[in-house]
Amino acid sequence: MGPIRLMLTGAGVTEQQWRVLRVLAENGVMDPTALSEASCLLLPSLTRIVNYLEKQNLVTRARHQTDGRRFLLEITPLGNALIASNIPHSNEIYAALEKQFGPDKMEQLLDLLQDLSNIDLK
Amino acid sequence: MGPIRLMLTGAGVTEQQWRVLRVLAENGVMDPTALSEASCLLLPSLTRIVNYLEKQNLVTRARHQTDGRRFLLEITPLGNALIASNIPHSNEIYAALEKQFGPDKMEQLLDLLQDLSNIDLK
DNA sequence: GTCTTGTAATTAACATGTTAATCAAAAATA
DNA sequence: TATTTTTGATTAACATGTTAATTACAAGAC
């Protein structure tokens, strides 16, 4: 995935940081558990990533109003700007990949992977 | 992949260490470059893994006779014993997965992944 | 209300992923 | 042959993956 890596290097974020920001941009406020699920990251990794993104003023962390265990994460305007200025290029790269691979094959592949991940051995 | 992780924990190795040992058991003597390719690891990761496996007396490292830059890696009898005593269980797990997923779908999936990895987005 | 149990998130410790820099040895070139 | 270039492997630095332990708070049971 060379082109994607290039785009991310230009944006100054890693794959995982990009994924976290993109999910937050799409979903608005989320708690760490939901965000980790949606961004395919384990909680310990997400904790470190959010710590870093918070220092860069790309996301904010606030305590939940009623449940003192939970936190609420939200992307900042700076974070949204980073996404907005790179998402077109990102989408172009994905579209080019899908076109070259074949939209039909892409759909087959995603279906098969979904089926595989639903398997519970035993 | 819970069952595989369980097996590996029982054997006392990680996924990557297991892969390196298995490839060496199947292919005999290999240099780091070939081994990294065959075990899907980048060279820096492989270097660390081989360092560890060498300390555990699971592999040996020797200089190449004619090319002073290269090394020759080989699995030890202890390493072979580790593989031999766990490979039957490993094969059972894979067979169960293939059966539950469907051998036809498994083949389709592997073919699609191979095609995808062959794509070179210019 | 106290005690127990469960849950959300973090921290700790170690292994691997990733890119760049380094080093030694081989190969190519003048 | 001396110089340059290339190659094989390692090291360095930082980010993430992974499992276990820990902490703080919430919810239930008594």
Side-chain angles (χ1 to χ4, degrees):
Chain A
M1 302 295 271
I4 287 283
R5 291 282 174 77
L6 261 180
M7 182 276 285
L8 293 172
T9 297
V13 292
T14 65
E15 288 178 44
Q16 293 84 347
Q17 292 162 10
W18 170 262
R19 215 155 61 227
V20 166
L21 290 174
R22 188 168 48 75
V23 168
L24 280 178
E26 291 171 355
N27 295 35
V29 176
M30 301 178 80
D31 61 53
T33 297
L35 180 55
S36 75
E37 168 70 19
S39 58
C40 301
L41 291 166
L42 296 181
L43 271 172
S45 293
L46 182 65
T47 295
R48 284 178 304 214
I49 290 168
V50 169
N51 283 341
Y52 173 78
L53 295 177
E54 199 180 11
K55 281 179 193 159
Q56 307 300 310
N57 292 312
L58 295 170
V59 307
T60 60
R61 196 190 232 125
R63 280 198 173 281
H64 192 278
Q65 268 72 356
T66 67
D67 189 337
R69 293 167 301 182
R70 297 168 59 196
F71 285 87
L72 296 179
L73 308 173
E74 188 173 12
I75 195 169
T76 65
L78 186 60
N80 264 317
L82 188 154
I83 293 291
S85 67
N86 289 283
I87 199 76
H89 187 195
S90 171
N91 289 340
E92 284 170 16
I93 294 170
Y94 178 79
L97 177 65
E98 188 179 33
K99 181 178 178 185
Q100 187 166 340
F101 185 49
D104 49 337
K105 288 170 70 176
M106 184 66 86
E107 191 181 346
Q108 280 179 48
L109 176 56
L110 294 178
D111 285 349
L112 286 169
L113 290 174
Q114 188 60 55
D115 289 353
L116 182 63
S117 82
N118 286 337
I119 285 188
D120 182 20
L121 277 190
K122 138 96 195 350
Chain B
M1 303 296 271
I4 287 284
R5 290 280 174 78
L6 262 179
M7 181 278 284
L8 294 172
T9 297
V13 291
T14 65
E15 288 179 44
Q16 292 84 349
Q17 292 162 12
W18 170 261
R19 215 156 61 227
V20 166
L21 290 175
R22 188 167 50 73
V23 169
L24 280 178
E26 292 170 357
N27 295 35
V29 176
M30 300 179 79
D31 61 52
T33 297
L35 180 55
S36 75
E37 168 70 19
S39 58
C40 301
L41 291 166
L42 296 180
L43 271 173
S45 294
L46 182 66
T47 295
R48 284 177 305 212
I49 290 168
V50 169
N51 283 342
Y52 174 79
L53 295 177
E54 200 180 12
K55 281 179 192 158
Q56 308 299 311
N57 292 312
L58 295 171
V59 307
T60 59
R61 196 191 232 126
R63 279 197 174 280
H64 192 279
Q65 267 72 355
T66 66
D67 189 338
R69 292 167 301 183
R70 297 168 59 195
F71 286 87
L72 296 179
L73 308 173
E74 188 172 12
I75 194 169
T76 65
L78 186 60
N80 266 316
L82 188 154
I83 293 292
S85 66
N86 289 283
I87 200 76
H89 188 194
S90 171
N91 289 339
E92 284 170 17
I93 295 170
Y94 178 79
L97 177 65
E98 188 179 34
K99 181 178 178 185
Q100 187 166 340
F101 185 50
D104 50 337
K105 288 170 70 176
M106 184 66 85
E107 191 181 346
Q108 280 179 48
L109 175 55
L110 295 178
D111 286 348
L112 286 169
L113 290 173
Q114 188 59 55
D115 289 353
L116 182 63
S117 82
N118 285 336
I119 286 186
D120 181 19
L121 278 190
K122 235 350 238 50

